[in-house]
Amino acid sequence: MARRLDVTGADGVRLAAWDYTPGGHTAGSPGIPGIPGGPGSPAPAPASGVRGIIPQPGPDTAPSPGGHTAPRPGGHTVPRPARPPAAPAPAPAPGAPGVLLLHGLMGHAGHWAPAVRRLTGGHRIVALDQRGHGASGKPAAGPFTREAYVADAAAVVEQLGLGPVTLVGHSMGALTAWQLAAERPDLVRALVICDMRASALGAASQRAWQDWFRGWPAPFPSLPAVHRWFGDEDPWVETPHPARGAFFAEVMAEHPDGWRPVFDPEQMLTSRETWVHDAHWDSLAQVRCPTLVVRGLDGELGRAEAQEMVRVLPRGAYAEVPDAGHLLHYTHPEAWSEAVEPFLNGVLTP
C-alpha cells in the first residue's frame, strides 16, 4: 500500500507524493512529520458530484494473479492486463537512498506501480503526482511552465529528505528530471531517462495534439468505453492496444454525465507548449551525474537519438526494452525493471 505524503510545491500548489517503500517511509527521514495534512491525514474528498478513482496509487492496485480488475477506494474497479505476481521487496534500512519517480504528461504516480513492485534492493521509493495530474493541485491559472515543474520536483526532494536522490522520469517527467539534475546537482545522485526525446517536436506536433484532444468522445459512458476508445478506436492506435486503454482508464473520474479525465486537457496542452518547440540538448549536456537512457524498441525515442543523448551526457549509459513502446514501464514492468535495476543498484550501493 502506497502512503500519501502531501507536499507544498512552487507557488504553494498542493502536491500528492506516494511512498512505495515497504513498511512506509524510512525511519529518520527528515521533514515528513511537519508537512501539513501529511502522512496519516485523510485524503481530500472528491468534488461534489464526482466519483473519482484518484487518489489510488500503490502496489496494491495491481491485478490479483490471473485477474483483470484492480480494486480502488470507493468501490470502483479498473480493468488491467493480468500480470504475474511479484515477490514483495524487503524493507530498506534507515537512511536508504531515495528514488523519486516522475510520470509523463497525462499520467499519475500509480502508473509506476507495476514496475515498482518488481524492484528489489533497499531503496526508498516515492512517486509524485505532478501538478495538474492525479491527486495534486490543478490551479486554474497555472503556471504549467518548465520552471514550475522543476521547482515542484526540487520541493519534493527537499521536503521529504530524499536527496541526493535518484530521479526516474518517463516522457515529460524525464525532461523535468534532467532539468533538475542540471540546475540542482546538489540534490541529484543519478538519473534514469525513459523514452523522452531531447530534440524539438515542433508546432505541427502541438497542433496534432490539439486536434487529438478535440476528437475525444468525452464524457465516456463507462470505463469499458474508455478502454475501447483508447485501446482500439482512437485514430492514433494502429493495432489494438489493451494496455493503453488501461493506462487511460486509471486517470478517469466519474461525473454525473459520464467519465472524464482527472486532468484538464487545456492544462496538458499548456504544459506541453512549454517544451515541444525547443530542443533540450544544452540542459542534457549539463547533467553531471550517472544517467541511464532507456527506450522501448517501438517507443517515441529512436535508437539513433537515444545513443546521441548518451554521447552528449558526460556519464551516460544506454538500455532498451524489447517489444515495448512508449509506455514501457507500464506495459513491460518486468523487462523495464531488469533493464533499470542493475543501474540503480550500481549508483545506490555505497
Side-chain angles (χ1 to χ4, degrees):
M1 180 71 180
R3 184 178 187 182
R4 177 171 173 157
L5 309 173
D6 284 356
V7 178
T8 301
D11 306 303
V13 172
R14 177 186 55 79
L15 301 175
W18 302 87
D19 194 333
Y20 283 81
T21 309
H25 72 270
T26 303
S29 298
I32 297 175
I35 299 172
S41 300
S48 176
V50 179
R51 289 200 300 160
I53 60 171
I54 299 290
Q56 80 286 34
D60 59 315
T61 62
S64 57
H68 294 273
T69 59
R72 300 299 190 196
H76 295 293
T77 59
V78 178
R80 289 177 59 175
R83 296 187 177 101
V99 177
L100 178 61
L101 309 174
L102 299 172
H103 61 73
L105 192 72
M106 303 182 294
H108 76 134
H111 282 146
W112 291 104
V116 166
R117 295 174 71 242
R118 286 161 172 80
L119 289 179
T120 60
H123 321 318
R124 181 184 174 207
I125 302 178
V126 174
L128 173 66
D129 281 335
Q130 298 187 78
R131 65 172 54 211
H133 298 75
S136 286
K138 302 167 181 65
F144 294 96
T145 61
R146 286 283 81 223
E147 292 79 9
Y149 279 108
V150 172
D152 286 346
V156 172
V157 174
E158 292 179 323
Q159 292 178 37
L160 300 186
L162 297 175
V165 71
T166 295
L167 296 174
V168 181
H170 172 248
S171 195
M172 181 192 75
L175 177 58
T176 299
W178 90 57
Q179 289 179 330
L180 177 58
E183 296 175 15
R184 293 289 309 274
D186 57 306
L187 292 181
V188 183
R189 179 196 305 264
L191 175 64
V192 178
I193 296 171
C194 299
D195 216 66
M196 178 61 187
R197 300 181 59 184
S199 300
L201 300 180
S205 170
Q206 188 72 353
R207 288 194 296 272
W209 274 66
Q210 291 170 341
D211 292 341
W212 179 59
F213 276 126
R214 282 196 290 265
W216 286 20
F220 297 88
S222 64
L223 276 182
V226 173
H227 275 263
R228 284 194 303 273
W229 197 83
F230 287 102
D232 190 11
E233 299 169 359
D234 183 352
W236 282 14
V237 177
E238 296 180 357
T239 59
H241 195 335
R244 186 174 185 266
F247 182 93
F248 280 96
E250 288 198 26
V251 288
M252 295 286 161
E254 188 178 19
H255 295 252
D257 61 349
W259 291 82
R260 297 178 180 273
V262 299
F263 52 80
D264 181 343
E266 287 301 321
Q267 292 183 349
M268 299 299 98
L269 287 171
T270 299
S271 299
R272 199 172 184 272
E273 182 78 28
T274 64
W275 52 266
V276 296
H277 299 294
D278 300 316
H280 304 282
W281 294 99
D282 288 347
S283 58
L284 188 69
Q286 295 171 21
V287 175
R288 292 292 180 264
C289 63
T291 302
L292 177 67
V293 178
V294 57
R295 59 180 287 269
L297 206 58
D298 297 317
E300 296 180 8
L301 174 61
R303 179 177 291 161
E305 182 170 352
Q307 292 177 343
E308 179 62 14
M309 291 169 67
V310 172
R311 189 193 67 79
V312 167
L313 286 159
R315 302 173 68 184
Y318 175 78
E320 60 185 35
V321 178
D323 302 321
H326 183 58
L327 307 177
L328 63 170
H329 62 295
Y330 184 81
T331 61
H332 292 70
E334 185 170 0
W336 180 88
S337 299
E338 290 174 355
V340 170
E341 192 166 31
F343 175 81
L344 290 180
N345 289 339
V347 298
L348 296 179
T349 302

